[in-house]
Structures are given as C-alpha cells and as structure tokens.
Amino acid sequence: MTTSLSLSVPAPLRLLIDTDPGVDDAIALMMALRFPGATVEAITVVAGNAGLDQTVRNARYVAELCESDAPVYAGAAGALLREARRAVHVHGDDGLGGLGLRPRRSEPRPGHAADAIIDLITANPDAITLVALGPLTNIALALGKEPRIASLVRRVVVMGGAANVIGNVTPSAEFNIWADPEAARMVFRAGMPLTMVGIEICRGEARWSEEEIVALAALDTERARAAAALLGHSLALERRQSAEHDLPGAHVPDGTAMAVALDPSILTESGDYHVDIETHGELTTGETVVDRRGVLGLPVNATVAHAIDIARFKELVREACQ
C-alpha cells in the first residue's frame, strides 16, 4: 500500500511536540531534541501518563538532559468531558519509572499550551510538524479556539490508537485516545494532514531486548544511561504483564511515532483511510475505527502506519544517546 498524503520533510524540520512524559515520551523527546536535522520550536505538555505538574517537570528534565532551550508550556490538566485518566501503573508515580530523574528548573513558560500551539502554527504556515505523543486535549482546545490551524500545519504525526487490533488499556483502545476520546475525535475530524502511528507498531521486533538495553547503556553518556534506565523500567514491567504469546522486550510507542516524524522514509507500509473515534461504546470507547475497506464511503482523513524500518528506528534512539 502507498500513501497519498505528503510525507516530504522541510529543511530544517521544525517540530512542535505535544506530550505527557512518560517513559517512552522521554525517549521520543531525546530523539527529537538530538536529531541534527530538526529544531524543536516548543514542547507543549498535557496530563496523561502522570498529572500535569509532573509531566511538565519531566519535559523540563528531558530538555535539560539534551541541553536544549526549547520552551515548555503547560496545558490541559484533564480531558475535555471526562474524569482524568492516568497511567501511573505503567510509568510510575513520577511518570519516569520512579528513577528520581528531576530537572534543575521545573517551571514552564507563561501561557497555556493551546495558545502556544495556535501562535506557533499561525505564525509559520505550512512550516510546523506537530507531533502528538499524549492525549489530544491541548490540540483539540487549540482547534476549538482557532480552527484555521488545521490547514496551516504542515504535518501531524499522532502516536495513538490501534488500527483495528488489540489495544493496551481495553481490548480495543490505546491509552492516548481512550484518555480523551472526544478530543481525539475533534482532531481526526479537523482535516489536518494526519499520520496515525498506532500501538501495534511498537510491538514485535520494535521491542528493545535486554541485550540491546545493555548495549545502549554502554555508550556511557548521561543520555544513554537515562534512556537505558527508562527502557529497563519498561522491560521489567513487560515481563510482569506480557501475555504468553507476546515477544519479550520493552515497548517504546512514542519513539516509533517520533521516528516517523523525523524520517518519513521509516514508514515502509501504510494506507490512507477514513478514521473515526468511538466515544459512546459500552465496550469500545476510545477505539480508533479504521475503515480499511472504505465501506462507509467517507473521505480519507489519515495515513495509518502499518510497518516501519525497525533498524532505523533503533538507530535514531542510539544516535540521540551518543
């Protein structure tokens, strides 16, 4: 299958990262902040993997770790219409595996993340790649306030959903979408040039083995040690929670999405479909419904990733740690 949405990358690549750090978010941020062909214009933060104060601190920590002065803005502390949902059982109370990783300065820039998203995209039409690694609340708030950003953003890469496969918080839903399905529906229906990288992409050979994590730590930089510790936390969690048929290894879902944002050629198999979000299902709230056969007769609104170049993805992580 081929994609019809544009995957060309401007030079330099200008990134706006909306995130809820999060173990795998932290690794994805390292990948972006250390990528030689990219400039991270801003990091906007949402609650999700942990509460907002903690996710802001975690974003500041990673920026400092990568010697970056990218501005960090705090955004939504909860979903648009639902009670807050957290993933501390996966990421730890501090969002970073309880590893004691803290920034020297934790305060965000003044202003709300949604306004920062609007300001950056409207001031730079067709120049900003938006990478969404958490619940889509901040982006939905920005769209509600300024719908024009849907046509002004160059590209949107979303780590979220499951393309009609098994979810990770319910049998059919992935956490980022499930945490705020109404926001996700707004984003998917907005007409943005959107690429969806679902939870299934980080499974299989994209997992990090114990041997690979040890080799990463052996790079012996502060970033490599931090990334290896974060991956080690995920590996230990997977060993406790994985199903019998799962391959062993640590998941890095946000890293796979960031790899697609940084190097579109990593996306080796994809398709263009109409995708919508279930918001009222008794068993399926948060499901990303991917109309792969076009039975609904509705227009394409997303490119959905089916496979990536796994070796290149892991190379990007290692390069970020060197």
Side-chain angles (χ1 to χ4, degrees):
M1 286 172 285
T2 59
T3 61
S4 61
L5 298 182
S6 174
L7 297 181
S8 60
V9 178
L13 179 61
R14 301 177 64 186
L15 299 175
L16 166 58
I17 304 172
D18 191 71
T19 180
D20 63 335
V23 168
D24 57 321
D25 307 71
I27 292 172
L29 283 171
M30 288 185 209
M31 294 166 65
L33 291 166
R34 297 294 297 178
F35 189 72
T39 300
V40 177
E41 302 283 352
I43 301 169
T44 53
V45 183
V46 64
N49 289 326
L52 184 64
D53 288 345
Q54 189 63 60
T55 54
V56 168
R57 283 194 291 272
N58 295 347
R60 286 288 317 144
Y61 164 75
V62 180
E64 288 180 4
L65 180 67
C66 294
E67 302 172 339
S68 169
D69 59 359
V72 174
Y73 296 91
L80 295 179
L81 301 176
R82 298 172 185 260
E83 293 183 1
R85 290 166 164 173
R86 302 287 178 261
V88 295
H89 63 291
V90 173
H91 298 269
D93 289 338
D94 68 348
L96 293 181
L99 298 173
L101 304 174
R102 296 182 178 86
R104 292 182 296 276
R105 182 174 64 81
S106 61
E107 298 80 11
R109 293 285 183 91
H112 194 281
D115 293 322
I117 292 169
I118 293 168
D119 292 345
L120 188 57
I121 293 174
T122 55
N124 302 279
D126 198 34
I128 301 299
T129 295
L130 173 58
V131 187
L133 305 177
L136 296 173
T137 317
N138 284 340
I139 302 171
L141 289 170
L143 284 165
K145 190 171 183 179
E146 179 49 89
R148 290 188 306 138
I149 64 171
S151 61
L152 296 175
V153 68
R154 181 179 182 88
R155 185 176 177 225
V156 181
V157 179
V158 172
M159 190 286 117
N164 295 351
V165 297
I166 300 168
N168 69 341
V169 286
T170 76
S172 60
E174 176 275 331
F175 175 79
N176 287 344
I177 306 299
W178 174 80
D180 195 345
E182 285 79 17
R185 173 172 273 195
M186 284 182 63
V187 171
F188 274 79
R189 290 184 172 186
M192 291 173 146
L194 190 150
T195 299
M196 169 182 146
V197 184
I199 192 67
E200 66 273 19
I201 301 301
C202 75
R203 294 168 175 161
E205 296 300 322
R207 294 179 183 231
W208 284 72
S209 68
E210 183 174 5
E211 293 75 18
E212 289 172 319
I213 296 169
V214 169
L216 188 67
L219 295 175
D220 201 28
T221 66
E222 186 178 2
R223 285 182 298 277
R225 290 188 291 272
L230 292 165
L231 288 168
H233 167 82
S234 294
L235 180 63
L237 181 73
E238 287 301 318
R239 284 173 170 168
R240 294 194 300 269
Q241 296 185 350
S242 62
E244 183 177 345
H245 60 274
D246 285 343
L247 293 174
H251 288 171
V252 192
D254 289 331
T256 60
M258 185 59 73
V260 171
L262 295 175
D263 182 358
S265 70
I266 282 176
L267 189 59
T268 58
E269 185 180 349
S270 62
D272 294 344
Y273 312 108
H274 182 82
V275 181
D276 208 341
I277 313 301
E278 178 56 66
T279 58
H280 296 294
E282 181 180 355
L283 300 176
T284 57
T285 294
E287 179 179 356
T288 44
V289 181
V290 179
D291 186 8
R292 295 183 68 159
R293 299 184 63 191
V295 296
L296 297 176
L298 296 171
V300 165
N301 64 347
T303 293
V304 176
H306 295 312
I308 64 169
D309 182 339
I310 294 165
R312 176 62 177 144
F313 152 59
K314 292 183 177 180
E315 180 185 358
L316 285 173
V317 176
R318 287 187 286 266
E319 288 174 353
C321 294
Q322 290 174 347

